[in-house]
Amino acid sequence: AKQSGKNKYHYYSESLHTEYMKSLNVLNGLKDALSEGFLDLYFQPQINLETNKIDSAEALLRWNRGNPYGFNPDDFIPVIESTELIHDIGAWVIQEACRACKKWHEQGHHISIAVNVSALQITRFNFYSIVEDALKESGLDANFLEIELTEHVLLTENMEVRSRLKALKDLGIKLAIDDFGTGYSNMNYLTRLRVDVLKLDKSFISEINVSKDSRVIVTAIIEMANVLGMQVIAEGVESIIQRNTLRELGCGLGQGFLWSKALPNLALLAFLDSSLKS
Ligand code: C2E
Ligand code: CA
Ligand code: CA
Ligand code: CA
């Protein structure tokens, strides 16, 4: 019995060791990816449905070199979030996004930049100063920066997170609710946190000309947003029919493969230049 107990202990400590080495490998791989410049920020245009002009762009993280976890952000972002490096990488995304947007302004394109921020990032004590520093360092006006959060972040009872959000709003940044309609139904936070933009989840858009339910929901969300003075953007717009329906329903903005996928910075600039000419 003694012998097997010893083996057992040996077994557990070995697997703990393996786990530890694994997480160390993940962390080192991420550190390398960041310091070696393996991470890229791509930008997907957001279109004003009335004027057909580009209003803004969403920054989307890419990791196309030295990445063992798959190129889909839905696969590798959870890996990043399982480590401390989410804070460094998240800060890099914000800095890079602000710099890029400032560049576009200098090239004559006065559009906004939308950045995805996860719940973990905003819980960090220094999140406000990360944003403030990125704005200062890039020279970007805060009015051109939009932060995309998911609904559940906004339902937080954490007073520090709430006051952090309020401070960011006071700086002048905009607040967008990502994947709107897929989360909770308690929507007090919309006015309490002075939300600026609702992003309709693409599951509604793909169904909008197929399912009456989807159309009813989208119609109701747009009407509510109008009353509350919020903008609405539809994501995942892939067809002209979807765009036309959204326009008819009074949706202000659209984003999706109909116009463009996410592009590297230079390609986005070319897209902006060509849209000026047309
Ligand atoms: P999301 O914020 O909902 O981003 C929209 C996703 O829809 C993007 O996927 C985009 O490429 C994709 N998409 C855009 N237009 C269309 C379309 O017309 N049809 C279809 N089928 N898809 C379209 P992506 O780039 O793979 O990103 C997936 C998710 O990863 C994002 O979902 C976001 O939650 C997260 N993510 C991406 N970049 C960042 C980042 O820098 N920070 C954080 N925290 N999360 C990020
Ligand atoms: Ca988003
Ligand atoms: Ca979304
Ligand atoms: Ca999503």
Side-chain angles (χ1 to χ4, degrees):
K2 227 179 189 178
Q3 187 61 34
S4 78
K6 204 175 175 189
N7 281 342
K8 216 173 185 182
Y9 170 74
H10 190 68
Y11 170 78
Y12 280 129
S13 72
E14 200 162 69
S15 77
L16 271 178
H17 183 71
T18 314
E19 283 306 306
Y20 175 71
M21 291 311 282
K22 251 195 229 156
S23 64
L24 210 61
N25 275 337
V26 173
L27 193 64
N28 285 329
L30 285 167
K31 277 186 183 152
D32 287 348
L34 185 59
S35 63
E36 304 284 323
F38 290 169
L39 299 178
D40 291 305
L41 215 49
Y42 277 35
F43 304 94
Q44 188 177 32
Q46 302 181 328
I47 313 293
N48 182 315
L49 295 182
E50 223 169 289
T51 63
N52 280 323
K53 291 214 166 80
I54 301 162
D55 176 89
S56 39
E58 177 177 7
L60 292 160
L61 190 59
R62 296 293 180 262
W63 181 7
N64 296 336
R65 287 164 289 166
N67 170 354
Y69 309 107
F71 297 144
N72 187 341
D74 289 323
D75 294 330
F76 69 74
I77 283 175
V79 177
I80 297 177
E81 291 197 329
S82 74
T83 76
E84 277 292 295
L85 232 56
I86 177 62
H87 301 294
D88 290 342
I89 291 175
W92 176 82
V93 166
I94 295 169
Q95 289 155 8
E96 199 69 8
C98 290
R99 278 185 215 131
C101 189
K102 181 67 184 181
K103 269 247 172 63
W104 305 333
H105 289 192
E106 286 165 358
Q107 312 269 337
H109 307 290
H110 292 270
I111 69 172
S112 300
I113 182 80
V115 181
N116 293 286
V117 170
S118 73
L120 280 170
Q121 288 174 264
I122 203 143
T123 338
R124 206 43 169 355
F125 69 98
N126 65 344
F127 184 75
Y128 176 88
S129 53
I130 284 172
V131 175
E132 197 185 31
D133 290 350
L135 290 169
K136 234 181 250 161
E137 187 252 351
S138 63
L140 183 72
D141 190 309
N143 294 305
F144 290 100
L145 177 63
E146 193 173 296
I147 286 184
E148 294 193 5
L149 297 166
T150 53
E151 281 173 82
H152 87 269
V153 179
L154 300 170
L155 286 166
T156 180
E157 296 299 325
N158 181 333
M159 292 318 279
E160 278 171 30
V161 169
R162 279 201 202 170
S163 66
R164 205 165 291 144
L165 281 169
K166 191 177 172 299
L168 288 166
K169 288 284 307 172
D170 290 339
L171 254 188
I173 71 148
K174 289 195 177 143
L175 205 57
I177 310 304
D178 211 346
D179 306 333
F180 187 76
T182 59
Y184 295 80
S185 54
N186 176 345
M187 286 185 278
N188 284 329
Y189 65 82
L190 287 180
T191 49
R192 197 182 62 213
L193 294 166
R194 294 179 284 149
V195 169
D196 302 283
V197 183
L198 302 182
K199 288 198 85 173
L200 286 169
D201 192 66
K202 55 177 173 277
S203 58
F204 295 117
I205 310 310
S206 63
E207 297 269 290
I208 198 168
N209 294 294
V210 189
S211 140
K212 193 161 179 227
D213 288 354
S214 284
R215 191 193 286 244
V216 167
I217 291 169
V218 168
T219 306
I221 291 174
I222 292 170
E223 276 172 11
M224 176 186 71
N226 280 343
V227 174
L228 294 176
M230 294 166 188
Q231 281 190 302
V232 180
I233 176 162
E235 66 175 21
V237 181
E238 294 181 348
S239 72
I240 291 179
I241 304 173
Q242 289 167 350
R243 184 209 58 193
N244 290 346
T245 305
L246 287 161
R247 201 190 259 156
E248 275 164 34
L249 296 178
C251 180
L253 297 162
Q255 172 182 355
F257 299 161
L258 173 63
W259 295 281
S260 172
K261 58 182 187 187
L263 301 168
N265 199 354
L266 275 181
L268 183 87
L269 254 179
F271 190 88
L272 287 166
D273 284 337
S274 70
S275 76
L276 262 192
K277 281 169 213 135
S278 65

